[in-house]
Coordinates of all heavy atoms in Angstrom, one line a residue:
M29 N 0.8 -1.2 0.0 CA 0.0 0.0 0.0 C 0.9 1.2 0.0 O 1.9 1.3 0.7 CB -0.8 0.0 1.3 CG -2.2 0.4 1.1 SD -3.2 -0.4 -0.1 CE -3.1 -2.1 0.3
R30 N 0.5 2.2 -0.8 CA 1.3 3.4 -0.9 C 0.3 4.6 -0.8 O -0.8 4.5 -1.2 CB 2.0 3.5 -2.2 CG 3.1 2.4 -2.4 CD 4.3 2.8 -1.6 NE 5.3 1.8 -1.8 CZ 5.6 0.8 -1.0 NH1 4.9 0.6 0.0 NH2 6.6 0.0 -1.3
T31 N 0.8 5.7 -0.3 CA 0.1 7.0 -0.4 C 0.7 7.9 -1.4 O 1.9 8.2 -1.3 CB 0.0 7.6 1.0 OG1 -0.6 6.7 1.9 CG2 -0.8 8.9 0.9
I32 N 0.0 8.2 -2.4 CA 0.5 9.0 -3.5 C -0.5 10.2 -3.7 O -1.7 10.1 -3.9 CB 0.5 8.2 -4.9 CG1 1.4 7.0 -4.7 CG2 1.0 9.1 -6.0 CD1 1.4 6.1 -5.8
L33 N 0.1 11.4 -3.5 CA -0.7 12.7 -3.6 C -1.9 12.6 -2.7 O -3.0 12.9 -3.1 CB -1.1 13.0 -5.0 CG 0.1 13.3 -6.0 CD1 -0.5 13.5 -7.4 CD2 0.8 14.5 -5.5
W34 N -1.7 12.1 -1.5 CA -2.7 12.0 -0.4 C -3.8 10.9 -0.7 O -4.8 10.9 -0.1 CB -3.4 13.3 -0.1 CG -2.4 14.4 0.2 CD1 -1.8 14.6 1.5 CD2 -1.7 15.3 -0.6 NE1 -0.9 15.5 1.4 CE2 -0.8 16.0 0.1 CE3 -1.9 15.6 -2.0 CZ2 0.0 17.0 -0.4 CZ3 -1.1 16.6 -2.5 CH2 -0.2 17.3 -1.7
H35 N -3.5 10.0 -1.7 CA -4.5 9.0 -2.0 C -3.8 7.6 -1.6 O -2.7 7.4 -2.0 CB -4.8 8.9 -3.5 CG -5.5 10.2 -3.9 ND1 -6.9 10.3 -3.9 CD2 -5.0 11.3 -4.4 CE1 -7.2 11.5 -4.4 NE2 -6.1 12.1 -4.6
R36 N -4.6 6.8 -0.8 CA -4.1 5.5 -0.4 C -4.4 4.6 -1.6 O -5.5 4.4 -1.9 CB -4.8 5.1 0.8 CG -4.1 3.9 1.5 CD -4.9 3.5 2.8 NE -4.8 4.5 3.8 CZ -5.8 4.7 4.7 NH1 -6.9 4.0 4.8 NH2 -5.6 5.6 5.7
L37 N -3.3 4.0 -2.1 CA -3.4 3.1 -3.3 C -2.7 1.8 -3.0 O -1.8 1.7 -2.3 CB -2.8 3.7 -4.5 CG -3.3 5.1 -4.9 CD1 -2.5 5.6 -6.1 CD2 -4.8 5.0 -5.3
G38 N -3.2 0.7 -3.7 CA -2.6 -0.6 -3.7 C -2.2 -0.9 -5.1 O -2.8 -0.5 -6.0
V39 N -1.1 -1.7 -5.2 CA -0.7 -2.2 -6.5 C -0.4 -3.7 -6.3 O 0.2 -4.1 -5.3 CB 0.6 -1.5 -7.0 CG1 1.0 -2.1 -8.3 CG2 0.4 0.0 -7.1
A40 N -1.0 -4.5 -7.2 CA -0.8 -5.9 -7.0 C -0.6 -6.6 -8.4 O -1.2 -6.0 -9.4 CB -1.9 -6.6 -6.3
R41 N 0.1 -7.6 -8.5 CA 0.2 -8.4 -9.7 C -0.5 -9.8 -9.4 O -0.2 -10.5 -8.5 CB 1.6 -8.7 -10.2 CG 1.7 -9.5 -11.4 CD 3.1 -9.9 -11.7 NE 3.9 -8.7 -11.9 CZ 4.4 -8.4 -13.1 NH1 4.1 -9.1 -14.2 NH2 5.1 -7.3 -13.3
V42 N -1.5 -10.1 -10.3 CA -2.3 -11.3 -10.1 C -2.3 -12.0 -11.5 O -2.8 -11.4 -12.5 CB -3.7 -11.1 -9.6 CG1 -4.4 -12.4 -9.5 CG2 -3.7 -10.4 -8.3
R43 N -1.8 -13.2 -11.6 CA -1.7 -14.0 -12.8 C -1.2 -13.1 -14.0 O -1.9 -13.0 -15.0 CB -3.1 -14.5 -13.2 CG -3.6 -15.6 -12.2 CD -4.9 -16.2 -12.6 NE -5.9 -15.2 -12.8 CZ -6.8 -14.8 -11.9 NH1 -6.9 -15.4 -10.7 NH2 -7.7 -13.9 -12.2
D44 N -0.1 -12.5 -13.8 CA 0.5 -11.6 -14.9 C -0.3 -10.4 -15.3 O 0.0 -9.8 -16.3 CB 0.8 -12.5 -16.1 CG 2.0 -13.5 -15.9 OD1 2.8 -13.2 -15.0 OD2 2.0 -14.5 -16.6
R45 N -1.2 -10.0 -14.4 CA -1.9 -8.8 -14.7 C -1.7 -7.9 -13.5 O -1.7 -8.3 -12.4 CB -3.4 -9.1 -14.9 CG -4.2 -7.9 -15.2 CD -5.6 -8.1 -15.7 NE -6.3 -6.9 -15.8 CZ -7.6 -6.8 -15.8 NH1 -8.4 -7.8 -15.7 NH2 -8.2 -5.6 -15.8
I46 N -1.5 -6.6 -13.8 CA -1.2 -5.6 -12.7 C -2.5 -4.9 -12.4 O -3.3 -4.5 -13.4 CB -0.2 -4.6 -13.2 CG1 1.2 -5.3 -13.4 CG2 0.0 -3.5 -12.1 CD1 2.3 -4.5 -14.0
Y47 N -2.8 -4.6 -11.2 CA -4.0 -3.9 -10.7 C -3.5 -2.7 -9.9 O -2.6 -2.9 -9.0 CB -4.9 -4.8 -9.9 CG -5.5 -5.9 -10.6 CD1 -4.8 -7.1 -10.7 CD2 -6.7 -5.8 -11.2 CE1 -5.3 -8.2 -11.4 CE2 -7.2 -6.9 -11.9 CZ -6.6 -8.1 -12.0 OH -7.1 -9.1 -12.7
V48 N -4.1 -1.6 -10.1 CA -3.9 -0.4 -9.2 C -5.3 -0.1 -8.6 O -6.2 0.0 -9.4 CB -3.4 0.8 -10.0 CG1 -3.2 2.0 -9.0 CG2 -2.0 0.5 -10.6
F49 N -5.4 -0.1 -7.3 CA -6.7 -0.1 -6.7 C -6.8 0.8 -5.5 O -5.7 1.2 -4.9 CB -7.2 -1.5 -6.3 CG -6.2 -2.2 -5.5 CD1 -6.3 -2.2 -4.1 CD2 -5.2 -2.9 -6.0 CE1 -5.5 -2.9 -3.3 CE2 -4.3 -3.6 -5.2 CZ -4.4 -3.6 -3.8
E50 N -8.0 1.2 -5.2 CA -8.2 2.0 -4.0 C -7.7 1.2 -2.8 O -8.0 0.1 -2.5 CB -9.7 2.2 -3.8 CG -10.2 2.9 -2.6 CD -9.6 4.3 -2.4 OE1 -9.7 5.1 -3.4 OE2 -9.1 4.6 -1.3
G51 N -6.8 1.9 -2.0 CA -6.2 1.2 -0.8 C -6.9 1.3 0.5 O -6.4 0.9 1.5
S52 N -8.2 1.9 0.4 CA -9.0 2.0 1.6 C -10.2 1.1 1.5 O -10.8 1.0 0.4 CB -9.5 3.4 1.8 OG -8.4 4.3 2.0
C53 N -10.6 0.4 2.5 CA -11.7 -0.5 2.5 C -13.0 0.3 2.4 O -13.2 1.3 3.1 CB -11.7 -1.3 3.8 SG -13.1 -2.5 3.9
P54 N -13.9 -0.2 1.5 CA -15.2 0.5 1.4 C -16.1 0.4 2.6 O -17.1 1.2 2.8 CB -15.9 -0.1 0.2 CG -15.2 -1.4 0.0 CD -13.8 -1.3 0.6
H55 N -15.8 -0.5 3.6 CA -16.6 -0.6 4.7 C -16.5 0.6 5.7 O -17.4 1.3 6.0 CB -16.3 -1.9 5.5 CG -16.9 -2.1 6.8 ND1 -16.3 -2.4 7.9 CD2 -18.2 -1.8 7.2 CE1 -17.1 -2.4 9.0 NE2 -18.3 -2.1 8.5
A56 N -15.2 0.8 6.2 CA -15.0 1.8 7.1 C -13.8 2.7 6.8 O -13.4 3.5 7.6 CB -14.8 1.3 8.5
G57 N -13.3 2.6 5.6 CA -12.3 3.5 5.1 C -10.9 3.2 5.6 O -10.0 4.0 5.4
R58 N -10.7 2.1 6.3 CA -9.4 1.8 6.8 C -8.5 1.2 5.8 O -8.9 0.7 4.7 CB -9.5 0.8 8.0 CG -10.3 1.4 9.1 CD -10.1 0.6 10.4 NE -10.7 1.2 11.5 CZ -10.8 0.7 12.7 NH1 -10.2 -0.5 12.9 NH2 -11.3 1.4 13.7
S59 N -7.2 1.3 6.0 CA -6.2 0.8 5.1 C -6.3 -0.7 4.9 O -6.5 -1.4 5.8 CB -4.8 1.2 5.6 OG -3.8 0.6 4.7
L60 N -6.0 -1.1 3.6 CA -6.0 -2.5 3.3 C -4.6 -3.0 3.5 O -4.3 -4.2 3.2 CB -6.4 -2.7 1.9 CG -7.9 -2.4 1.6 CD1 -8.3 -2.5 0.2 CD2 -8.8 -3.3 2.5
Q61 N -3.7 -2.2 4.0 CA -2.3 -2.7 4.3 C -2.4 -3.9 5.2 O -3.0 -4.0 6.2 CB -1.6 -1.6 5.1 CG -0.2 -1.9 5.5 CD 0.8 -1.7 4.3 OE1 0.7 -0.8 3.6 NE2 1.8 -2.6 4.2
G62 N -1.7 -5.0 4.7 CA -1.6 -6.2 5.5 C -2.7 -7.2 5.0 O -2.6 -8.4 5.4
G63 N -3.5 -6.8 4.1 CA -4.5 -7.7 3.5 C -3.8 -8.4 2.3 O -3.5 -7.8 1.3
A64 N -3.6 -9.7 2.4 CA -2.9 -10.5 1.4 C -3.8 -10.6 0.2 O -5.0 -10.7 0.3 CB -2.5 -11.8 1.9
V65 N -3.2 -10.6 -1.0 CA -4.0 -10.8 -2.3 C -3.8 -12.2 -2.7 O -2.7 -12.7 -2.8 CB -3.4 -9.8 -3.4 CG1 -4.2 -10.0 -4.7 CG2 -3.4 -8.4 -2.9
T66 N -4.9 -12.9 -2.9 CA -4.9 -14.3 -3.3 C -4.6 -14.4 -4.8 O -4.7 -13.4 -5.5 CB -6.2 -15.0 -3.0 OG1 -7.2 -14.6 -3.9 CG2 -6.6 -14.8 -1.6
S67 N -4.4 -15.6 -5.3 CA -4.1 -15.9 -6.7 C -5.4 -15.6 -7.5 O -5.4 -15.6 -8.7 CB -3.6 -17.3 -6.9 OG -4.5 -18.2 -6.5
Q68 N -6.6 -15.5 -6.9 CA -7.8 -15.2 -7.5 C -8.1 -13.7 -7.5 O -9.2 -13.3 -7.9 CB -9.0 -16.0 -6.9 CG -8.8 -17.5 -7.0 CD -9.9 -18.2 -6.3 OE1 -10.3 -17.8 -5.2 NE2 -10.4 -19.3 -6.9
G69 N -7.2 -12.9 -7.0 CA -7.4 -11.5 -6.9 C -8.4 -11.1 -5.8 O -9.1 -10.0 -5.9
I70 N -8.4 -11.8 -4.8 CA -9.3 -11.5 -3.6 C -8.4 -10.9 -2.5 O -7.4 -11.5 -2.2 CB -10.1 -12.7 -3.1 CG1 -10.9 -13.3 -4.2 CG2 -10.9 -12.4 -1.9 CD1 -12.0 -12.5 -4.7
I71 N -8.9 -9.9 -1.9 CA -8.2 -9.3 -0.7 C -9.2 -9.4 0.5 O -10.3 -9.0 0.4 CB -7.8 -7.8 -0.9 CG1 -6.9 -7.7 -2.1 CG2 -7.1 -7.2 0.3 CD1 -6.7 -6.2 -2.5
E72 N -8.7 -9.9 1.6 CA -9.5 -9.9 2.8 C -9.0 -8.7 3.6 O -7.9 -8.6 4.0 CB -9.3 -11.2 3.6 CG -10.2 -11.2 4.8 CD -10.1 -12.5 5.6 OE1 -9.5 -13.5 5.1 OE2 -10.7 -12.6 6.7
C73 N -10.0 -7.8 3.9 CA -9.6 -6.6 4.7 C -9.1 -7.1 6.1 O -9.8 -7.9 6.8 CB -10.8 -5.7 4.9 SG -10.5 -4.3 5.9
P74 N -8.0 -6.6 6.5 CA -7.4 -7.0 7.8 C -8.2 -6.5 9.0 O -7.9 -7.0 10.1 CB -6.0 -6.5 7.7 CG -6.0 -5.3 6.8 CD -7.1 -5.7 5.8
W75 N -9.1 -5.6 8.8 CA -9.8 -5.0 10.0 C -11.1 -5.9 10.4 O -11.2 -6.2 11.5 CB -10.2 -3.6 9.7 CG -9.0 -2.7 9.5 CD1 -8.4 -2.4 8.4 CD2 -8.3 -2.2 10.6 NE1 -7.3 -1.7 8.7 CE2 -7.2 -1.5 10.0 CE3 -8.4 -2.2 12.0 CZ2 -6.2 -0.8 10.8 CZ3 -7.5 -1.5 12.7 CH2 -6.4 -0.8 12.2
H76 N -12.0 -6.1 9.4 CA -13.2 -6.8 9.7 C -13.5 -8.0 8.8 O -14.6 -8.5 8.8 CB -14.4 -5.8 9.8 CG -14.2 -4.6 10.6 ND1 -14.0 -3.4 10.0 CD2 -14.0 -4.5 11.9 CE1 -13.8 -2.5 11.0 NE2 -13.8 -3.1 12.1
G77 N -12.6 -8.2 7.9 CA -12.7 -9.4 7.1 C -13.5 -9.3 5.8 O -13.8 -10.3 5.2
L78 N -13.9 -8.1 5.4 CA -14.7 -8.0 4.2 C -13.8 -8.5 3.0 O -12.6 -8.2 2.9 CB -15.1 -6.5 3.9 CG -15.9 -6.2 2.7 CD1 -17.3 -6.9 2.9 CD2 -16.1 -4.7 2.5
L79 N -14.4 -9.3 2.1 CA -13.7 -9.8 0.9 C -13.9 -8.8 -0.2 O -15.0 -8.4 -0.5 CB -14.2 -11.2 0.6 CG -14.0 -12.3 1.6 CD1 -14.6 -13.6 1.1 CD2 -12.5 -12.4 1.9
L80 N -12.8 -8.4 -0.8 CA -12.8 -7.5 -1.9 C -12.2 -8.1 -3.1 O -11.2 -8.8 -3.0 CB -12.0 -6.2 -1.5 CG -12.5 -5.6 -0.2 CD1 -11.4 -4.8 0.5 CD2 -13.7 -4.7 -0.5
S81 N -12.7 -7.8 -4.3 CA -12.2 -8.4 -5.5 C -11.6 -7.4 -6.4 O -12.1 -6.3 -6.6 CB -13.3 -9.2 -6.2 OG -12.8 -9.7 -7.4
L82 N -10.4 -7.8 -7.0 CA -9.8 -6.9 -8.0 C -10.3 -7.2 -9.4 O -10.2 -6.3 -10.3 CB -8.3 -7.2 -8.0 CG -7.5 -6.9 -6.7 CD1 -6.1 -7.3 -6.8 CD2 -7.6 -5.4 -6.4
D83 N -10.9 -8.3 -9.6 CA -11.4 -8.7 -10.9 C -12.7 -9.4 -10.8 O -12.7 -10.6 -10.6 CB -10.3 -9.5 -11.6 CG -10.6 -9.7 -13.1 OD1 -11.6 -9.1 -13.6 OD2 -9.7 -10.3 -13.7
C84 N -13.8 -8.7 -11.0 CA -15.1 -9.3 -10.8 C -15.8 -9.7 -12.1 O -16.7 -9.0 -12.6 CB -16.0 -8.3 -10.0 SG -15.9 -8.5 -8.3
Q85 N -15.3 -10.7 -12.8 CA -16.0 -11.1 -14.0 C -16.0 -12.6 -14.1 O -15.1 -13.2 -14.8 CB -15.2 -10.5 -15.2 CG -15.4 -9.0 -15.1 CD -14.5 -8.3 -16.2 OE1 -14.1 -8.9 -17.2 NE2 -14.4 -7.0 -16.1
P86 N -16.8 -13.4 -13.5 CA -17.8 -12.9 -12.4 C -17.0 -12.8 -11.1 O -16.0 -13.3 -10.9 CB -18.8 -14.1 -12.4 CG -18.0 -15.3 -12.8 CD -16.9 -14.8 -13.8
C87 N -17.7 -12.1 -10.2 CA -17.1 -11.9 -8.9 C -17.2 -13.1 -8.0 O -18.3 -13.6 -7.8 CB -17.8 -10.7 -8.2 SG -16.9 -9.8 -7.0
P88 N -16.1 -13.7 -7.6 CA -16.1 -14.9 -6.8 C -16.4 -14.7 -5.4 O -16.2 -13.6 -4.9 CB -14.7 -15.5 -7.0 CG -13.9 -14.3 -7.3 CD -14.7 -13.3 -7.9
V89 N -17.0 -15.7 -4.7 CA -17.2 -15.8 -3.3 C -17.8 -14.5 -2.6 O -17.3 -14.0 -1.6 CB -15.9 -16.2 -2.5 CG1 -15.5 -17.6 -2.9 CG2 -14.8 -15.2 -2.7
N90 N -18.8 -13.9 -3.2 CA -19.5 -12.8 -2.6 C -18.5 -11.6 -2.3 O -18.8 -10.8 -1.4 CB -20.2 -13.2 -1.4 CG -21.2 -14.2 -1.6 OD1 -21.8 -14.3 -2.7 ND2 -21.5 -15.1 -0.7
A91 N -17.5 -11.4 -3.1 CA -16.5 -10.3 -2.8 C -17.1 -9.0 -3.4 O -17.8 -9.0 -4.4 CB -15.2 -10.7 -3.4
V92 N -16.8 -8.0 -2.8 CA -17.2 -6.6 -3.2 C -16.1 -6.1 -4.2 O -14.9 -6.2 -3.9 CB -17.3 -5.7 -2.0 CG1 -17.6 -4.3 -2.4 CG2 -18.3 -6.2 -1.0
P93 N -16.6 -5.6 -5.4 CA -15.6 -5.0 -6.3 C -14.8 -3.9 -5.7 O -15.5 -3.0 -5.0 CB -16.4 -4.6 -7.5 CG -17.8 -5.0 -7.3 CD -17.9 -5.5 -5.8
L94 N -13.6 -3.8 -5.9 CA -12.7 -2.8 -5.4 C -12.5 -1.8 -6.5 O -12.2 -2.2 -7.6 CB -11.4 -3.4 -4.9 CG -10.5 -2.6 -3.9 CD1 -11.3 -2.0 -2.7 CD2 -9.4 -3.4 -3.4
A95 N -12.5 -0.5 -6.2 CA -12.3 0.6 -7.2 C -10.9 0.5 -7.8 O -10.0 0.4 -7.1 CB -12.6 1.9 -6.6
Q96 N -10.9 0.5 -9.2 CA -9.6 0.4 -9.9 C -9.3 1.7 -10.4 O -10.1 2.6 -10.7 CB -9.8 -0.6 -11.1 CG -10.3 -1.9 -10.7 CD -9.3 -2.8 -10.0 OE1 -8.2 -2.8 -10.4 NE2 -9.7 -3.6 -9.0
L97 N -8.0 2.0 -10.6 CA -7.5 3.2 -11.2 C -6.8 2.9 -12.5 O -6.1 1.9 -12.6 CB -6.6 3.9 -10.3 CG -7.2 4.7 -9.2 CD1 -7.6 3.9 -8.0 CD2 -6.3 5.9 -8.8
A98 N -7.0 3.8 -13.5 CA -6.3 3.7 -14.8 C -4.8 3.9 -14.6 O -4.5 4.8 -13.8 CB -6.9 4.6 -15.8
F99 N -4.0 3.2 -15.3 CA -2.6 3.4 -15.2 C -2.0 2.8 -16.5 O -2.6 2.2 -17.3 CB -2.0 2.6 -14.0 CG -2.1 1.1 -14.2 CD1 -1.1 0.4 -14.7 CD2 -3.3 0.5 -13.8 CE1 -1.1 -1.0 -14.8 CE2 -3.4 -0.9 -14.0 CZ -2.3 -1.6 -14.5
R100 N -0.7 3.1 -16.7 CA 0.1 2.5 -17.8 C 1.4 2.1 -17.2 O 1.9 2.7 -16.2 CB 0.1 3.4 -19.0 CG 0.7 4.7 -18.7 CD 0.3 5.7 -19.9 NE 0.0 7.0 -19.3 CZ 0.9 7.9 -19.1 NH1 2.2 7.7 -19.4 NH2 0.6 9.0 -18.5
V101 N 2.1 1.2 -17.9 CA 3.4 0.8 -17.4 C 4.4 1.2 -18.5 O 4.2 0.9 -19.7 CB 3.5 -0.7 -17.3 CG1 4.9 -1.1 -16.9 CG2 2.5 -1.2 -16.2
R102 N 5.3 2.0 -18.1 CA 6.3 2.5 -19.1 C 7.7 2.3 -18.5 O 8.0 2.7 -17.4 CB 6.1 4.0 -19.3 CG 7.0 4.5 -20.5 CD 6.9 6.0 -20.7 NE 5.6 6.5 -20.7 CZ 5.2 7.8 -20.5 NH1 6.2 8.6 -20.3 NH2 4.0 8.1 -20.5
N103 N 8.5 1.5 -19.2 CA 9.9 1.2 -18.8 C 9.8 0.5 -17.4 O 10.7 0.8 -16.5 CB 10.8 2.4 -18.8 CG 11.0 3.0 -20.1 OD1 11.0 2.2 -21.1 ND2 11.1 4.3 -20.2
G104 N 8.8 -0.3 -17.1 CA 8.8 -1.1 -15.9 C 8.2 -0.3 -14.7 O 8.2 -0.7 -13.6
I105 N 7.8 1.0 -15.0 CA 7.3 1.8 -13.9 C 5.8 2.0 -14.1 O 5.3 2.3 -15.2 CB 8.0 3.2 -13.9 CG1 9.4 3.0 -13.6 CG2 7.3 4.2 -12.9 CD1 10.3 4.3 -13.7
V106 N 5.0 1.8 -13.0 CA 3.5 2.0 -13.1 C 3.3 3.5 -12.9 O 3.6 4.1 -11.9 CB 2.8 1.2 -12.0 CG1 1.4 1.5 -11.9 CG2 3.1 -0.3 -12.1
A107 N 2.6 4.1 -14.0 CA 2.3 5.5 -13.9 C 0.8 5.7 -13.8 O 0.1 5.1 -14.7 CB 2.8 6.2 -15.2
I108 N 0.4 6.4 -12.8 CA -1.1 6.6 -12.6 C -1.4 8.0 -13.0 O -0.7 9.0 -12.7 CB -1.4 6.4 -11.1 CG1 -1.0 5.0 -10.6 CG2 -2.9 6.7 -10.8 CD1 -0.9 4.9 -9.2
D109 N -2.5 8.1 -13.8 CA -2.9 9.4 -14.3 C -3.4 10.3 -13.1 O -4.3 9.8 -12.3 CB -4.0 9.1 -15.3 CG -4.6 10.4 -15.9 OD1 -4.0 11.4 -15.8 OD2 -5.8 10.3 -16.3
R110 N -3.0 11.5 -13.0 CA -3.4 12.4 -12.0 C -4.9 12.6 -12.0 O -5.6 12.7 -11.0 CB -2.8 13.8 -12.1 CG -1.4 13.8 -11.5 CD -0.9 15.2 -11.6 NE 0.5 15.3 -11.0 CZ 0.9 16.2 -10.2 NH1 0.1 17.2 -9.9 NH2 2.1 16.2 -9.8
G111 N -5.5 12.6 -13.2 CA -6.9 12.7 -13.4 C -7.7 11.6 -12.7 O -8.7 11.7 -12.2
A112 N -7.1 10.4 -12.8 CA -7.7 9.2 -12.2 C -7.7 9.4 -10.7 O -8.7 9.0 -10.1 CB -6.9 7.9 -12.6
L113 N -6.7 10.0 -10.1 CA -6.7 10.2 -8.7 C -7.8 11.2 -8.3 O -8.5 11.0 -7.3 CB -5.3 10.7 -8.2 CG -4.2 9.8 -8.3 CD1 -2.9 10.5 -8.0 CD2 -4.4 8.6 -7.4
R114 N -8.0 12.2 -9.1 CA -9.0 13.2 -8.8 C -10.4 12.6 -8.9 O -11.2 12.8 -8.0 CB -8.9 14.4 -9.7 CG -7.8 15.4 -9.3 CD -8.0 16.7 -10.0 NE -7.6 16.6 -11.4 CZ -6.4 16.7 -11.9 NH1 -5.4 16.9 -11.2 NH2 -6.2 16.5 -13.2
R115 N -10.6 11.8 -10.0 CA -11.9 11.2 -10.1 C -12.2 10.2 -9.0 O -13.3 10.1 -8.6 CB -12.0 10.5 -11.5 CG -12.1 11.4 -12.7 CD -12.3 10.6 -13.9 NE -11.2 9.7 -14.3 CZ -10.2 10.1 -15.0 NH1 -10.1 11.3 -15.4 NH2 -9.2 9.3 -15.3
N116 N -11.2 9.5 -8.5 CA -11.3 8.5 -7.5 C -11.6 9.1 -6.1 O -12.2 8.5 -5.3 CB -10.1 7.6 -7.4 CG -10.4 6.3 -6.9 OD1 -11.4 5.7 -7.2 ND2 -9.5 5.8 -6.0
S117 N -11.3 10.4 -5.9 CA -11.5 11.0 -4.6 C -12.8 11.6 -4.4 O -13.1 12.1 -3.4 CB -10.4 12.1 -4.4 OG -10.5 13.1 -5.3
R118 N -13.7 11.6 -5.5 CA -15.0 12.2 -5.3 C -16.0 11.3 -4.6 O -15.8 10.1 -4.6 CB -15.6 12.5 -6.7 CG -14.9 13.7 -7.3 CD -15.5 14.0 -8.7 NE -14.5 14.9 -9.3 CZ -14.5 15.0 -10.6 NH1 -15.3 14.3 -11.4 NH2 -13.6 15.8 -11.2
Ligands
FES209 S1 -12.7 -1.6 7.5 FE1 -12.6 -3.3 6.1 S2 -14.1 -4.7 6.7 FE2 -14.3 -3.0 8.0

């Protein structure tokens, strides 16, 4: 979990796909730091156990979809669009 421009974000690689996602739990807004990402792209919130999914097509095990942010990878660096951060904070 990282804080970038005052936004808590998570970055994970699952099955050769990279995800950039909201790093706060939709339940109570706490950090997802410490929540392990499974090989199915599921994160269990370390606070109250809510299951969150990075890839809901279809969403497995009653997991709540986690907000994703647009990004691109250039020269091995994940670059997040500042506009995506602003849109995500509304
Ligand atoms: S803060 Fe994540 S489940 Fe409550």
Side-chain angles (χ1 to χ4, degrees):
M29 220 54 57
R30 296 285 185 260
T31 300
I32 301 172
L33 296 175
W34 303 277
H35 296 269
R36 194 182 291 153
L37 303 175
V39 179
R41 179 189 298 255
V42 178
R43 296 182 305 262
D44 290 333
R45 183 168 171 202
I46 296 172
Y47 296 88
V48 178
F49 54 94
E50 173 63 47
S52 299
C53 180
H55 171 231
R58 295 197 175 175
S59 173
L60 295 174
Q61 178 83 37
V65 181
T66 71
S67 61
Q68 295 177 321
I70 303 293
I71 303 172
E72 182 176 354
C73 177
W75 294 95
H76 309 111
L78 183 65
L79 295 178
L80 303 157
S81 178
L82 296 175
D83 193 357
C84 273
Q85 296 175 14
C87 206
V89 295
N90 299 329
V92 174
L94 198 51
Q96 308 282 321
L97 279 83
F99 67 94
R100 57 198 139 89
V101 179
R102 189 183 317 160
N103 297 327
I105 296 173
V106 175
I108 302 162
D109 178 24
R110 278 183 183 223
L113 290 175
R114 281 193 291 272
R115 285 188 296 275
N116 204 41
S117 65
R118 289 182 193 155

